[in-house]
Amino acid sequence: MDTKNAGFNTKLIHAGDFHDEYGSAVTPIYQTSTFAFKNAQHGADLFAGKEKGFIYTRIGNPTIGALENKLAELENGCGGIALASGMAAVTTVYMTFLGQGQHIICTSAVYGPSRAVLESHFAKFGVESTFVDSSNLKEIEDAIRPNTKLLYLETPANPTMALTDIKKASEIAHKHNIIVVVDNTFSSPYLQKPLDLGADVSLHSLTKFINGHADIVGGALIAKDPEIYAKLRKTMVYMGGNMDPHQAYLVIRGVKTLTLRIDRAQENAMKVADYLEKHPKVAWVKYPGLKSFPQYELAKEQMKGPGAMISFELKGGYEAGVTLMDNVHLALLAVSLGGVESLIQHPASMTHAGVPKEARLQANITEGLVRYAVGIENVEDIIADLDHALAKI
Ligand SMILES: *Cc1c(COP(=O)(O)O)cnc(C)c1O
């Protein structure tokens, strides 16, 4: 079915899908590493790009291609690239647009490894990076140098949930011929469409909302312009960060319910955020759906909904965080987000326990900070679980 002009939910179900000669209702898994040519001429034509078809799974595969086409349609891109993980997508972007003596401007509160790999591996190859609070457009503008090639944004950023105005940031970057990439993992294509707002590439950890069932790791890039798409694809094929067909099949299955899952999760998250904001043991709550959120208006402007990620600070600091972790029973103590199950995390004692306290505080990882990825369970159960655990503090 041609879904180009169809609604978002129809695209989720049908875009990119194909049906085999037996009339399979879902896209089959082509679990094969290579594809046989019909004859010498066929092989020659495939390699020359004169005929459409498949050669080798790292280069392309029907199941992976179905997912790539679906994702591209969901965000109005010209093409999608599926990768082994979100980090494979991040490093493919860096490898494509950065080189010796070139410069990147990056949101300071990006996903930890997206920053760490610049400071370690890419610095080793002579790439310069500047990390700015991109919610302040002036900081972006002031960081631009003649050798700046890439503006890498993450919005909402973690754990502050600070938003970057994608439209205005893209306008600034494009005046200087700088390519704009947005990590759209926290919002998914349902809640935010970076390409429509002016970005060149949208990036996802499929591990989170898009797959939605905490059973695979995966990544994707969606490009607006065919030239940029071709460059990214070439890097993926050479560097070998490709997805596996079975992984693609699971993501295709997971993404079909994206809006149903997110609608429920953010309805729950709004109630959880309201509950937490009124709780006497909670110092503050950061959730783009709260009126108290500093960028509440921008959230309404560039996002279709506030999502399902909440950050909050416990008045009791580190000890309170540990007590909360040890007393919740419904939420799993785990990193990640965007699955059907609720996950809770206390960075100071868990993900950032190895980071010295001073450095933690500098990165806004305060002692009582808790990150809650709200799932689609009954919200009364989620709140009862938190209520019981908060009472132990
Ligand atoms: C998880 C995540 C990544 C990395 O994705 P993986 O699939 O774990 O490699 C990148 N960005 C954001 C915002 C994430 O949450």
Side-chain angles (χ1 to χ4, degrees):
M1 174 193 173
D2 182 5
T3 46
K4 285 279 183 306
N5 298 313
F8 190 78
N9 288 315
T10 306
K11 286 186 200 281
L12 281 177
I13 310 297
H14 297 292
D17 273 19
F18 67 87
H19 309 284
D20 67 6
E21 57 185 300
Y22 304 109
S24 66
V26 298
T27 299
I29 312 175
Y30 283 81
Q31 195 74 48
T32 181
S33 59
T34 196
F35 297 83
F37 310 130
K38 290 173 197 145
N39 49 47
Q41 188 60 47
H42 182 222
D45 288 346
L46 283 173
F47 269 104
K50 282 192 204 153
E51 193 169 333
K52 271 194 171 265
F54 296 98
I55 297 170
Y56 186 65
T57 281
R58 176 160 45 73
I59 304 170
N61 171 290
T63 315
I64 301 169
L67 173 64
E68 292 174 330
N69 293 340
K70 192 189 287 286
L71 294 174
E73 263 197 51
L74 292 177
E75 281 194 22
N76 305 319
C78 78
I81 301 166
L83 297 110
S85 67
M87 281 314 298
V90 174
T91 54
T92 294
V93 161
Y94 294 166
M95 285 303 277
T96 304
F97 300 118
L98 298 168
Q100 170 91 36
Q102 295 181 332
H103 177 240
I104 171 176
I105 302 169
C106 185
T107 303
S108 55
V110 279
Y111 184 70
S114 304
R115 177 171 179 154
V117 75
L118 285 173
E119 291 175 319
S120 55
H121 297 68
F122 283 84
K124 198 169 73 177
F125 298 122
V127 172
E128 302 161 17
S129 35
T130 304
F131 300 93
V132 301
D133 173 4
S134 55
S135 65
N136 180 351
L137 295 167
K138 185 153 187 315
E139 286 200 24
I140 297 178
E141 208 149 18
D142 289 349
I144 294 174
R145 305 178 191 170
N147 59 342
T148 306
K149 298 293 171 195
L150 186 61
L151 173 64
Y152 186 95
L153 305 171
E154 188 174 316
T155 176
N158 185 16
T160 57
M161 300 303 289
L163 308 184
T164 299
D165 188 324
I166 297 173
K167 202 166 160 194
K168 292 201 176 125
S170 300
E171 281 167 12
I172 293 169
H174 288 155
K175 264 190 252 160
H176 300 266
N177 290 320
I178 296 167
I179 287 178
V180 181
V181 177
V182 177
D183 183 333
N184 198 28
T185 301
F186 269 40
S187 299
S188 90
Y190 175 38
L191 299 183
Q192 185 167 271
K193 293 189 171 57
L195 304 186
D196 291 356
L197 294 165
D200 300 294
V201 179
S202 174
L203 180 152
H204 290 280
S205 166
L206 301 174
T207 316
K208 317 296 166 52
F209 285 104
I210 291 184
N211 180 59
H213 293 76
D215 51 7
I216 62 103
V217 168
L221 296 169
I222 301 151
K224 189 156 63 182
D225 167 75
E227 210 175 302
I228 286 179
Y229 168 76
K231 283 185 186 163
L232 289 165
R233 180 134 212 125
K234 195 168 172 183
T235 308
M236 183 279 282
V237 169
Y238 284 169
M239 301 300 290
N242 61 284
M243 181 172 266
D244 176 83
H246 185 253
Q247 208 181 347
Y249 168 82
L250 286 173
V251 181
I252 291 170
R253 183 166 80 155
V255 76
K256 291 184 182 181
T257 53
L258 184 72
T259 53
L260 294 174
R261 288 185 281 105
I262 289 188
D263 281 343
R264 167 67 80 85
Q266 69 181 3
E267 191 184 308
N268 284 354
M270 192 67 238
K271 289 179 183 158
V272 172
D274 273 334
Y275 160 80
L276 287 169
E277 196 166 47
K278 292 189 188 102
H279 200 286
K281 288 178 184 166
V282 174
W284 51 254
V285 181
K286 293 269 165 62
Y287 179 62
L290 287 172
K291 291 244 164 61
S292 62
F293 186 69
Q295 295 165 294
Y296 179 73
E297 290 305 323
L298 178 59
K300 280 212 293 197
E301 213 176 286
Q302 76 178 13
M303 298 167 73
K304 204 178 160 69
M309 288 301 293
I310 300 173
S311 289
F312 62 99
E313 177 75 15
L314 293 166
K315 286 180 185 162
Y318 186 91
E319 287 307 319
V322 172
T323 304
L324 186 73
M325 293 304 109
D326 287 343
N327 287 284
V328 286
H329 302 307
L330 181 146
L332 300 175
L333 310 188
V335 297
S336 199
L337 61 125
V340 290
E341 55 286 284
S342 292
L343 306 179
I344 195 166
Q345 212 259 106
H346 176 226
S349 73
M350 298 166 97
T351 46
H352 293 68
V355 180
K357 188 172 164 182
E358 292 310 310
R360 279 206 306 257
L361 292 177
Q362 220 170 23
N364 289 317
I365 309 291
T366 41
E367 295 294 277
L369 178 74
V370 176
R371 204 180 82 154
Y372 202 113
V374 183
I376 66 169
E377 300 94 339
N378 283 92
V379 71
E380 313 81 62
D381 294 332
I382 295 172
I383 290 174
D385 184 46
L386 280 169
D387 205 51
H388 157 86
L390 284 166
K392 301 277 185 186
I393 293 169

Short mmCIF file of all heavy atoms in Angstrom, two decimals, residues 37 39-55 59:
data_model
loop_
_atom_site.label_atom_id
_atom_site.label_comp_id
_atom_site.label_asym_id
_atom_site.label_seq_id
_atom_site.Cartn_x
_atom_site.Cartn_y
_atom_site.Cartn_z
N PHE A 37 23.26 -14.13 -7.22
CA PHE A 37 22.95 -13.46 -8.49
C PHE A 37 22.39 -14.50 -9.45
O PHE A 37 22.77 -15.67 -9.41
CB PHE A 37 24.20 -12.82 -9.10
CG PHE A 37 24.98 -11.97 -8.12
CD1 PHE A 37 26.35 -12.15 -7.97
CD2 PHE A 37 24.34 -11.01 -7.36
CE1 PHE A 37 27.07 -11.36 -7.07
CE2 PHE A 37 25.05 -10.22 -6.46
CZ PHE A 37 26.42 -10.41 -6.31
N ASN A 39 22.84 -14.49 -12.68
CA ASN A 39 23.92 -14.79 -13.65
C ASN A 39 24.94 -13.65 -13.56
O ASN A 39 24.77 -12.72 -12.76
CB ASN A 39 23.35 -14.91 -15.08
CG ASN A 39 22.45 -13.73 -15.42
OD1 ASN A 39 22.82 -12.58 -15.17
ND2 ASN A 39 21.27 -14.00 -15.94
N ALA A 40 25.96 -13.73 -14.36
CA ALA A 40 27.05 -12.76 -14.29
C ALA A 40 26.55 -11.33 -14.55
O ALA A 40 26.92 -10.38 -13.86
CB ALA A 40 28.14 -13.12 -15.29
N GLN A 41 25.67 -11.20 -15.54
CA GLN A 41 25.15 -9.87 -15.89
C GLN A 41 24.36 -9.26 -14.73
O GLN A 41 24.49 -8.08 -14.43
CB GLN A 41 24.28 -9.98 -17.16
CG GLN A 41 23.85 -8.63 -17.73
CD GLN A 41 25.06 -7.77 -18.13
OE1 GLN A 41 25.98 -8.26 -18.78
NE2 GLN A 41 25.08 -6.51 -17.71
N HIS A 42 23.53 -10.13 -14.09
CA HIS A 42 22.73 -9.66 -12.95
C HIS A 42 23.64 -9.14 -11.85
O HIS A 42 23.43 -8.06 -11.29
CB HIS A 42 21.84 -10.82 -12.46
CG HIS A 42 20.95 -10.46 -11.31
ND1 HIS A 42 20.75 -11.29 -10.23
CD2 HIS A 42 20.21 -9.35 -11.06
CE1 HIS A 42 19.92 -10.71 -9.37
NE2 HIS A 42 19.57 -9.53 -9.86
N GLY A 43 24.70 -9.89 -11.55
CA GLY A 43 25.67 -9.46 -10.52
C GLY A 43 26.29 -8.13 -10.90
O GLY A 43 26.39 -7.21 -10.07
N ALA A 44 26.67 -8.00 -12.15
CA ALA A 44 27.31 -6.76 -12.62
C ALA A 44 26.34 -5.58 -12.49
O ALA A 44 26.71 -4.50 -12.03
CB ALA A 44 27.76 -6.93 -14.07
N ASP A 45 25.08 -5.81 -12.86
CA ASP A 45 24.08 -4.73 -12.83
C ASP A 45 23.77 -4.30 -11.39
O ASP A 45 23.57 -3.10 -11.12
CB ASP A 45 22.78 -5.17 -13.52
CG ASP A 45 22.95 -5.25 -15.03
OD1 ASP A 45 23.97 -4.72 -15.53
OD2 ASP A 45 22.08 -5.84 -15.69
N LEU A 46 23.73 -5.28 -10.48
CA LEU A 46 23.47 -4.93 -9.07
C LEU A 46 24.60 -4.06 -8.53
O LEU A 46 24.38 -3.04 -7.89
CB LEU A 46 23.33 -6.20 -8.22
CG LEU A 46 22.00 -6.95 -8.33
CD1 LEU A 46 22.07 -8.26 -7.56
CD2 LEU A 46 20.84 -6.11 -7.78
N PHE A 47 25.83 -4.48 -8.79
CA PHE A 47 26.98 -3.71 -8.28
C PHE A 47 27.06 -2.33 -8.92
O PHE A 47 27.48 -1.37 -8.28
CB PHE A 47 28.29 -4.49 -8.49
CG PHE A 47 28.62 -5.35 -7.29
CD1 PHE A 47 28.41 -6.73 -7.33
CD2 PHE A 47 29.11 -4.78 -6.13
CE1 PHE A 47 28.69 -7.52 -6.22
CE2 PHE A 47 29.39 -5.56 -5.02
CZ PHE A 47 29.19 -6.94 -5.06
N ALA A 48 26.66 -2.24 -10.17
CA ALA A 48 26.71 -0.94 -10.85
C ALA A 48 25.51 -0.06 -10.47
O ALA A 48 25.45 1.09 -10.88
CB ALA A 48 26.73 -1.17 -12.37
N GLY A 49 24.56 -0.63 -9.72
CA GLY A 49 23.38 0.14 -9.33
C GLY A 49 22.39 0.29 -10.47
O GLY A 49 21.46 1.09 -10.39
N LYS A 50 22.57 -0.49 -11.55
CA LYS A 50 21.65 -0.40 -12.70
C LYS A 50 20.35 -1.14 -12.41
O LYS A 50 19.33 -0.89 -13.03
CB LYS A 50 22.30 -1.02 -13.94
CG LYS A 50 23.31 -0.11 -14.61
CD LYS A 50 23.67 -0.66 -15.98
CE LYS A 50 25.04 -0.18 -16.42
NZ LYS A 50 25.70 -1.10 -17.34
N GLU A 51 20.43 -2.12 -11.51
CA GLU A 51 19.24 -2.89 -11.15
C GLU A 51 19.09 -2.83 -9.64
O GLU A 51 20.08 -2.83 -8.91
CB GLU A 51 19.38 -4.34 -11.62
CG GLU A 51 18.07 -5.07 -11.57
CD GLU A 51 18.13 -6.43 -12.28
OE1 GLU A 51 18.96 -6.58 -13.21
OE2 GLU A 51 17.37 -7.31 -11.91
N LYS A 52 17.82 -2.78 -9.17
CA LYS A 52 17.56 -2.76 -7.73
C LYS A 52 17.58 -4.20 -7.22
O LYS A 52 17.10 -5.11 -7.90
CB LYS A 52 16.19 -2.14 -7.46
CG LYS A 52 16.28 -0.64 -7.28
CD LYS A 52 14.99 -0.09 -6.68
CE LYS A 52 15.11 1.34 -6.30
NZ LYS A 52 15.42 1.80 -5.10
N GLY A 53 18.15 -4.41 -6.05
CA GLY A 53 18.17 -5.75 -5.49
C GLY A 53 19.15 -5.82 -4.35
O GLY A 53 19.69 -4.79 -3.92
N PHE A 54 19.40 -7.02 -3.87
CA PHE A 54 20.24 -7.18 -2.70
C PHE A 54 21.49 -7.98 -3.02
O PHE A 54 21.46 -8.89 -3.85
CB PHE A 54 19.43 -7.83 -1.57
CG PHE A 54 18.29 -6.94 -1.13
CD1 PHE A 54 17.00 -7.15 -1.61
CD2 PHE A 54 18.52 -5.87 -0.29
CE1 PHE A 54 15.95 -6.32 -1.23
CE2 PHE A 54 17.48 -5.03 0.09
CZ PHE A 54 16.20 -5.25 -0.37
N ILE A 55 22.59 -7.61 -2.37
CA ILE A 55 23.89 -8.20 -2.64
C ILE A 55 24.41 -8.92 -1.40
O ILE A 55 24.80 -10.08 -1.46
CB ILE A 55 24.89 -7.09 -3.06
CG1 ILE A 55 24.42 -6.44 -4.37
CG2 ILE A 55 26.30 -7.64 -3.16
CD1 ILE A 55 25.20 -5.18 -4.75
N ILE A 59 25.24 -4.42 3.37
CA ILE A 59 24.90 -3.34 2.42
C ILE A 59 23.40 -3.09 2.39
O ILE A 59 22.94 -1.95 2.29
CB ILE A 59 25.42 -3.70 1.00
CG1 ILE A 59 26.93 -3.97 1.05
CG2 ILE A 59 25.08 -2.62 -0.01
CD1 ILE A 59 27.49 -4.56 -0.23
#
